[in-house]
Amino acid sequence: MPTLADTVGELESIYDPAWAESWDAVGLVCGDPGARVRKILFAVDPTAVVAEEAVGWGADLIVTHHPLYLRGTTSVAATTYKGRLVHTLIKNDVALFTAHTNADVADPGVSDALARAVGLTGPLTPLLPAAGDPRRGLGRVGTLPAPLSLRDFARRAAEGLPRTAGGLRVAGDLDRQVSRVAVSGGSGDSLLGTARAAGVDVFLTADLRHHPASEFVEEPGGPALVDAAHWATEWPWLADAAHRLTSALAARGITVETRVSETVTDAWKTTAECEELK
Ligand SMILES: [Zn+2]
């Protein structure tokens, strides 16, 4: 049975913390490096329901994509939900580790798993290659096995991603044919210009806002847009991360049990039509 330090060492050799953005907060949030790790839960968000799932399953470690504390804190008192989460974890001997923007730019990383989930089967290249290592980077670009209408691509993507309340939103001519696809897990606003410059037919990401999206599709010649739930675009990565960690540990003769949380922690829980609000 590995120690937490062994497990963190493997995770950081797969997702090097040096690759993280300067504003990010990745790595071990809580946990005793000497503690034994037998069961590891993978989840997108460090929320109370995920902590409860970890405790109920008897997990020793939770690996999340999103940081619990991105901007630092001076208190972990249980007077806030974050402090309460830290208490729950420590009382139950559950460690918490985050791989965020260092997992985004890994090879393979978050957007590779997203690309596979929405139907890209061939080679993938970074949409925005990392400085100094063009094999890594933000987003991925690939080609569909056969061209699809934008409508059918969106349907295919919806089938490949976990279900969320909001589904997918599509901007552009629904009948246009799409073949080259760019994807970026999480908030992809900042990559709109890069997707246009890459000459792709459609860009799938999350958290797109009205003005950037509207202006983007009004300008002729650019890609269509598909906007998915933030959680859904990052969830496919969890199984890949779990597989890479168990393989790395297995190569050292170490066996751990992993589980991917299927709890939907996307912020948006439902949608309502005007008819329903009457
Ligand atoms: Zn995210």
Side-chain angles (χ1 to χ4, degrees):
M1 206 186 293
T3 63
L4 178 59
D6 292 333
T7 312
V8 166
E10 288 297 347
L11 282 164
E12 292 192 336
S13 72
I14 300 168
Y15 303 110
D16 188 337
W19 299 339
E21 298 286 341
S22 57
W23 49 261
D24 205 359
V26 301
L28 198 59
V29 179
C30 68
D32 179 343
R36 298 284 159 181
V37 173
R38 189 169 56 90
K39 295 170 102 174
I40 307 167
L41 180 69
F42 285 78
V44 173
D45 296 293
T47 57
V49 64
V50 167
E52 284 164 22
E53 182 179 349
V55 171
W57 182 51
D60 307 295
L61 168 64
I62 307 174
V63 175
T64 63
H65 184 48
H66 291 146
L68 178 64
Y69 288 104
L70 187 59
R71 294 189 177 87
T73 186
T74 57
S75 168
V76 291
T79 49
T80 65
Y81 90 88
K82 292 187 181 186
R84 183 161 297 284
L85 191 92
V86 171
H87 278 68
T88 301
L89 295 178
I90 292 175
K91 281 182 187 169
N92 290 281
D93 286 325
V94 184
L96 176 62
F97 177 90
T98 297
H100 190 213
T101 52
N102 48 333
D104 286 333
V105 299
D107 175 29
V110 171
S111 293
D112 290 275
L114 171 60
R116 298 306 180 210
V118 302
L120 296 172
T121 53
L124 299 169
T125 54
L127 175 58
L128 183 63
D133 187 354
R135 293 168 302 173
R136 298 189 296 100
L138 283 175
R140 291 294 182 274
V141 176
T143 304
L144 290 168
L148 293 171
S149 68
L150 175 59
R151 178 186 282 104
D152 287 344
F153 168 70
R155 193 173 290 143
R156 169 74 189 76
E159 284 167 3
L161 292 174
R163 270 180 81 89
T164 48
L168 302 184
R169 299 185 298 178
V170 185
D173 175 0
L174 296 178
D175 293 318
R176 77 179 275 182
Q177 294 290 294
V178 299
S179 177
R180 291 233 315 145
V181 178
V183 302
S184 185
S187 307
D189 267 279
S190 66
L191 292 169
L192 283 171
T194 313
R196 179 182 289 276
V200 296
D201 302 312
V202 58
F203 178 39
L204 182 150
T205 186
D207 292 347
L208 291 179
R209 292 171 297 142
H210 169 74
H211 285 299
S214 171
E215 290 170 15
F216 190 80
V217 293
E218 283 296 313
E219 187 69 33
L225 296 175
V226 178
D227 183 75
H230 188 128
W231 172 86
T233 61
E234 297 175 331
W235 185 85
W237 167 74
L238 302 176
D240 182 54
H243 177 71
R244 292 186 74 191
L245 176 62
T246 50
S247 299
L249 289 170
R252 293 169 51 189
I254 298 169
T255 304
V256 290
E257 193 177 345
T258 61
R259 170 161 146 176
V260 171
S261 175
E262 295 187 356
T263 307
V264 179
T265 54
D266 199 64
W268 312 112
K269 300 303 179 199
T270 189
T271 55
E273 301 293 334
C274 296
E275 290 292 312
E276 296 173 41
L277 293 175
K278 281 178 187 168

